[in-house]
Amino acid sequence: MKVIEVNKRVLEKNDDIASSLNQYLHDRGIVLMNLLGTPGSGKTTLLERILERVDCSKIAVIEGDLYTDSDAKRIEAFGVKTIQLNTYGACHLEASMIKEAIYELDLNGIEVIIIDNIGNLVCTAEFKLGEDKRITVFSVTEGNDKPLKYPLMFQTTDILIINKMDLIRHTNFNIENFKKDVWTLNPQCHIYECSAYRNEGINDILNIVFLLNE
């Protein structure tokens, strides 16, 4: 019982920091997006496809990883202001980490900050980071049973991007059953399909993602 109470206090403290961070950014006209998904779902590749189409001087990225800065280097190559957060084994980012990273960023001219979160479908869903929207990237190679196995991720996401659609014919992924399960858990979820690798379906995603501040 005491463990549950401790965990509850940890989440409450995290949510308080997330709320104050969200207000801090809103006061500056900045939108914060939380990009989630498993390792290999294609989050960073999708982010690269988006950055190819926007004014990168208005974007900042916070890269979350257990180890290495390889993804951050990929994003920094676009001229984007980038901060690397390494957790050295911890499976999630917390609002206090995001707050520290944002205070290290030069926010002059920044309109959107994107958190490229640690690859995980479980604990990353539990921690609010001050985001305006959650965007989950899911690949068809992961199987269409995941919404029912990991419901919290799908219950709390605002936008779900089904990636690697070019590979669907090589899998037994049932996209209609998958969408039905997602909408049963989260009727308000917006679902989009794409192949980040083949650069297909990106414009539709771009239109919705960068209208989030309206």
Side-chain angles (χ1 to χ4, degrees):
M1 191 68 178
K2 184 172 277 188
V3 172
I4 294 173
E5 290 174 352
V6 168
N7 287 341
K8 183 177 179 182
R9 287 198 296 271
V10 168
L11 287 172
E12 286 177 348
K13 180 179 179 181
N14 179 84
D15 290 354
D16 288 344
I17 296 172
S19 179
S20 64
L21 180 57
N22 183 265
Q23 187 60 56
Y24 173 83
L25 293 175
H26 275 201
D27 290 345
R28 288 155 180 78
I30 298 172
V31 174
L32 181 62
M33 302 179 194
N34 189 358
L35 189 62
L36 303 118
T38 58
S41 62
K43 298 191 308 297
T44 307
T45 301
L46 176 63
L47 184 52
E48 288 176 317
R49 300 291 83 79
I50 289 172
L51 294 175
E52 290 170 351
R53 292 164 162 81
V54 300
D55 182 352
C56 289
S57 68
K58 298 179 180 180
I59 310 293
V61 172
I62 298 171
E63 276 289 344
D65 269 308
L66 275 71
Y67 304 95
T68 83
D69 60 355
S70 56
D71 287 347
K73 288 178 178 177
R74 288 168 61 183
I75 298 306
E76 200 170 36
F78 287 87
V80 175
K81 294 177 182 177
T82 307
I83 294 283
Q84 176 70 55
L85 286 178
N86 288 126
T87 63
Y88 300 103
C91 63
H92 64 275
L93 299 176
E94 297 181 13
S96 59
M97 303 175 189
I98 302 303
K99 180 179 179 180
E100 182 178 352
I102 285 175
Y103 285 167
E104 291 293 323
L105 281 169
D106 176 7
L107 298 179
N108 185 40
I110 296 298
E111 297 180 3
V112 178
I113 299 174
I114 301 173
I115 303 165
D116 190 358
N117 212 320
I118 292 172
N120 194 306
L121 280 182
V122 185
C123 47
T124 53
E126 296 182 17
F127 286 81
K128 297 177 182 178
L129 302 180
E131 67 267 35
D132 294 286
K133 295 290 181 180
R134 286 187 171 192
I135 305 166
T136 299
V137 181
F138 186 89
S139 72
V140 299
T141 56
E142 298 175 65
N144 57 278
D145 59 342
K146 296 306 181 290
L148 300 184
K149 285 188 174 182
Y150 306 99
L152 185 61
M153 177 63 76
F154 297 91
Q155 288 170 332
T156 59
T157 196
D158 300 291
I159 297 169
L160 176 62
I161 298 171
I162 305 174
N163 191 25
K164 303 188 182 180
M165 286 297 296
D166 54 306
L167 299 179
I168 194 168
R169 66 184 182 277
H170 302 297
T171 74
N172 63 354
F173 187 83
N174 188 316
I175 196 165
E176 297 307 320
N177 286 350
F178 178 80
K179 289 180 178 180
K180 180 180 178 181
D181 288 342
V182 170
W183 283 324
T184 297
L185 293 167
N186 183 357
Q188 306 305 315
C189 182
H190 299 278
I191 301 179
Y192 296 87
E193 302 169 17
C194 79
S195 169
Y197 176 74
R198 292 188 178 274
N199 222 337
E200 297 170 350
I202 308 301
N203 287 338
D204 289 340
I205 295 167
L206 188 70
N207 289 337
I208 186 66
V209 166
F210 284 89
L211 290 176
L212 290 177
N213 57 343
E214 290 192 350

